[in-house]
mmCIF file of all heavy atoms in Angstrom:
data_model
loop_
_atom_site.group_PDB
_atom_site.id
_atom_site.type_symbol
_atom_site.label_atom_id
_atom_site.label_comp_id
_atom_site.label_asym_id
_atom_site.label_seq_id
_atom_site.Cartn_x
_atom_site.Cartn_y
_atom_site.Cartn_z
ATOM 1 N N ASN A 8 29.959 65.788 2.266
ATOM 2 C CA ASN A 8 30.149 67.128 1.901
ATOM 3 C C ASN A 8 31.605 67.609 2.070
ATOM 4 O O ASN A 8 32.230 67.356 3.131
ATOM 5 C CB ASN A 8 29.271 68.011 2.773
ATOM 6 C CG ASN A 8 27.801 67.759 2.596
ATOM 7 O OD1 ASN A 8 27.187 68.244 1.631
ATOM 8 N ND2 ASN A 8 27.164 67.035 3.509
ATOM 9 N N GLY A 9 32.205 68.376 1.012
ATOM 10 C CA GLY A 9 33.456 68.721 1.037
ATOM 11 C C GLY A 9 33.715 70.143 1.511
ATOM 12 O O GLY A 9 32.845 70.697 2.172
ATOM 13 N N PRO A 10 34.911 70.779 1.056
ATOM 14 C CA PRO A 10 35.291 72.004 1.633
ATOM 15 C C PRO A 10 34.378 73.186 1.466
ATOM 16 O O PRO A 10 33.724 73.319 0.511
ATOM 17 C CB PRO A 10 36.596 72.299 0.872
ATOM 18 C CG PRO A 10 36.425 71.407 -0.426
ATOM 19 C CD PRO A 10 35.702 70.227 0.014
ATOM 20 N N ASN A 11 34.278 73.922 2.516
ATOM 21 C CA ASN A 11 33.492 75.165 2.555
ATOM 22 C C ASN A 11 31.967 74.939 2.792
ATOM 23 O O ASN A 11 31.204 75.917 2.971
ATOM 24 C CB ASN A 11 33.822 76.090 1.478
ATOM 25 C CG ASN A 11 35.279 76.582 1.461
ATOM 26 O OD1 ASN A 11 35.692 77.105 2.561
ATOM 27 N ND2 ASN A 11 35.932 76.383 0.436
ATOM 28 N N GLN A 50 30.638 66.079 6.845
ATOM 29 C CA GLN A 50 31.352 67.207 6.095
ATOM 30 C C GLN A 50 32.814 67.309 6.554
ATOM 31 O O GLN A 50 33.091 67.099 7.727
ATOM 32 C CB GLN A 50 30.683 68.575 6.480
ATOM 33 C CG GLN A 50 31.156 69.737 5.620
ATOM 34 C CD GLN A 50 32.360 70.525 6.170
ATOM 35 O OE1 GLN A 50 32.610 70.544 7.339
ATOM 36 N NE2 GLN A 50 33.158 71.135 5.287
ATOM 37 N N THR A 51 33.630 67.606 5.634
ATOM 38 C CA THR A 51 35.096 67.757 5.906
ATOM 39 C C THR A 51 35.621 68.834 4.964
ATOM 40 O O THR A 51 35.275 68.916 3.862
ATOM 41 C CB THR A 51 35.912 66.585 5.862
ATOM 42 O OG1 THR A 51 37.238 66.823 6.154
ATOM 43 C CG2 THR A 51 35.839 65.785 4.497
ATOM 44 N N ASN A 52 36.642 69.565 5.406
ATOM 45 C CA ASN A 52 37.352 70.398 4.593
ATOM 46 C C ASN A 52 38.625 69.824 4.033
ATOM 47 O O ASN A 52 39.444 70.442 3.264
ATOM 48 C CB ASN A 52 37.683 71.637 5.377
ATOM 49 C CG ASN A 52 36.549 72.588 5.701
ATOM 50 O OD1 ASN A 52 35.560 72.566 4.797
ATOM 51 N ND2 ASN A 52 36.495 73.299 6.820
ATOM 52 N N TYR A 53 38.951 68.517 4.298
ATOM 53 C CA TYR A 53 40.170 67.999 4.044
ATOM 54 C C TYR A 53 39.897 66.744 2.847
ATOM 55 O O TYR A 53 39.064 65.900 3.112
ATOM 56 C CB TYR A 53 40.758 67.186 5.173
ATOM 57 C CG TYR A 53 41.139 68.290 6.238
ATOM 58 C CD1 TYR A 53 40.282 68.570 7.268
ATOM 59 C CD2 TYR A 53 42.288 69.003 6.131
ATOM 60 C CE1 TYR A 53 40.493 69.533 8.232
ATOM 61 C CE2 TYR A 53 42.598 69.957 7.102
ATOM 62 C CZ TYR A 53 41.732 70.263 8.093
ATOM 63 O OH TYR A 53 42.058 71.173 8.943
ATOM 64 N N GLU A 54 40.744 66.879 1.835
ATOM 65 C CA GLU A 54 40.572 65.927 0.697
ATOM 66 C C GLU A 54 40.741 64.406 1.194
ATOM 67 O O GLU A 54 39.879 63.612 0.797
ATOM 68 C CB GLU A 54 41.531 66.253 -0.392
ATOM 69 C CG GLU A 54 41.349 65.373 -1.618
ATOM 70 C CD GLU A 54 42.366 65.766 -2.748
ATOM 71 O OE1 GLU A 54 43.154 66.703 -2.457
ATOM 72 O OE2 GLU A 54 42.130 65.332 -3.903
ATOM 73 N N GLY A 55 41.803 64.200 1.915
ATOM 74 C CA GLY A 55 42.108 62.811 2.354
ATOM 75 C C GLY A 55 40.893 62.270 3.235
ATOM 76 O O GLY A 55 40.576 61.073 3.106
ATOM 77 N N GLU A 56 40.270 63.082 3.995
ATOM 78 C CA GLU A 56 39.211 62.679 4.845
ATOM 79 C C GLU A 56 38.030 62.259 3.994
ATOM 80 O O GLU A 56 37.295 61.337 4.245
ATOM 81 C CB GLU A 56 38.870 63.695 5.926
ATOM 82 C CG GLU A 56 38.033 63.179 7.033
ATOM 83 C CD GLU A 56 37.988 64.052 8.324
ATOM 84 O OE1 GLU A 56 38.219 65.286 8.099
ATOM 85 O OE2 GLU A 56 37.553 63.534 9.413
ATOM 86 N N LEU A 57 37.805 62.968 2.962
ATOM 87 C CA LEU A 57 36.696 62.779 2.037
ATOM 88 C C LEU A 57 37.007 61.446 1.322
ATOM 89 O O LEU A 57 36.084 60.596 1.169
ATOM 90 C CB LEU A 57 36.607 63.885 0.991
ATOM 91 C CG LEU A 57 35.341 64.218 0.479
ATOM 92 C CD1 LEU A 57 34.079 64.268 1.465
ATOM 93 C CD2 LEU A 57 35.339 65.623 -0.228
ATOM 94 N N VAL A 58 38.203 61.159 0.978
ATOM 95 C CA VAL A 58 38.561 59.923 0.437
ATOM 96 C C VAL A 58 38.197 58.792 1.363
ATOM 97 O O VAL A 58 37.541 57.731 0.985
ATOM 98 C CB VAL A 58 40.102 59.815 0.090
ATOM 99 C CG1 VAL A 58 40.485 58.395 -0.257
ATOM 100 C CG2 VAL A 58 40.336 60.713 -1.119
ATOM 101 N N SER A 59 38.535 58.939 2.674
ATOM 102 C CA SER A 59 38.312 57.904 3.620
ATOM 103 C C SER A 59 36.733 57.699 3.807
ATOM 104 O O SER A 59 36.247 56.594 4.011
ATOM 105 C CB SER A 59 38.893 58.229 4.927
ATOM 106 O OG SER A 59 40.337 58.240 4.894
ATOM 107 N N PHE A 60 35.989 58.753 3.786
ATOM 108 C CA PHE A 60 34.536 58.650 3.841
ATOM 109 C C PHE A 60 33.904 57.894 2.838
ATOM 110 O O PHE A 60 33.085 57.104 2.952
ATOM 111 C CB PHE A 60 33.946 60.201 3.932
ATOM 112 C CG PHE A 60 34.126 60.942 5.154
ATOM 113 C CD1 PHE A 60 33.772 62.345 5.149
ATOM 114 C CD2 PHE A 60 34.617 60.398 6.345
ATOM 115 C CE1 PHE A 60 33.957 63.178 6.269
ATOM 116 C CE2 PHE A 60 34.846 61.218 7.537
ATOM 117 C CZ PHE A 60 34.409 62.521 7.372
ATOM 118 N N TYR A 78 36.723 70.297 -4.778
ATOM 119 C CA TYR A 78 37.497 69.146 -5.120
ATOM 120 C C TYR A 78 36.797 68.345 -6.216
ATOM 121 O O TYR A 78 37.554 67.602 -6.926
ATOM 122 C CB TYR A 78 37.493 68.188 -3.904
ATOM 123 C CG TYR A 78 38.425 68.652 -2.770
ATOM 124 C CD1 TYR A 78 38.148 68.465 -1.419
ATOM 125 C CD2 TYR A 78 39.637 69.345 -3.030
ATOM 126 C CE1 TYR A 78 38.899 68.837 -0.404
ATOM 127 C CE2 TYR A 78 40.508 69.795 -2.037
ATOM 128 C CZ TYR A 78 40.162 69.543 -0.735
ATOM 129 O OH TYR A 78 40.944 70.037 0.290
ATOM 130 N N LEU A 85 39.387 61.440 -5.424
ATOM 131 C CA LEU A 85 38.043 61.208 -5.022
ATOM 132 C C LEU A 85 37.374 60.306 -6.105
ATOM 133 O O LEU A 85 36.701 59.360 -5.764
ATOM 134 C CB LEU A 85 37.150 62.468 -5.074
ATOM 135 C CG LEU A 85 37.542 63.447 -3.897
ATOM 136 C CD1 LEU A 85 36.534 64.627 -3.947
ATOM 137 C CD2 LEU A 85 37.636 62.839 -2.527
#
Side-chain angles (χ1 to χ4, degrees):
N8 296 281
N11 295 310
Q50 190 272 332
T51 178
N52 289 325
Y53 299 95
E54 184 177 8
E56 195 168 20
L57 209 44
V58 169
S59 296
F60 288 167
Y78 290 143
L85 297 185

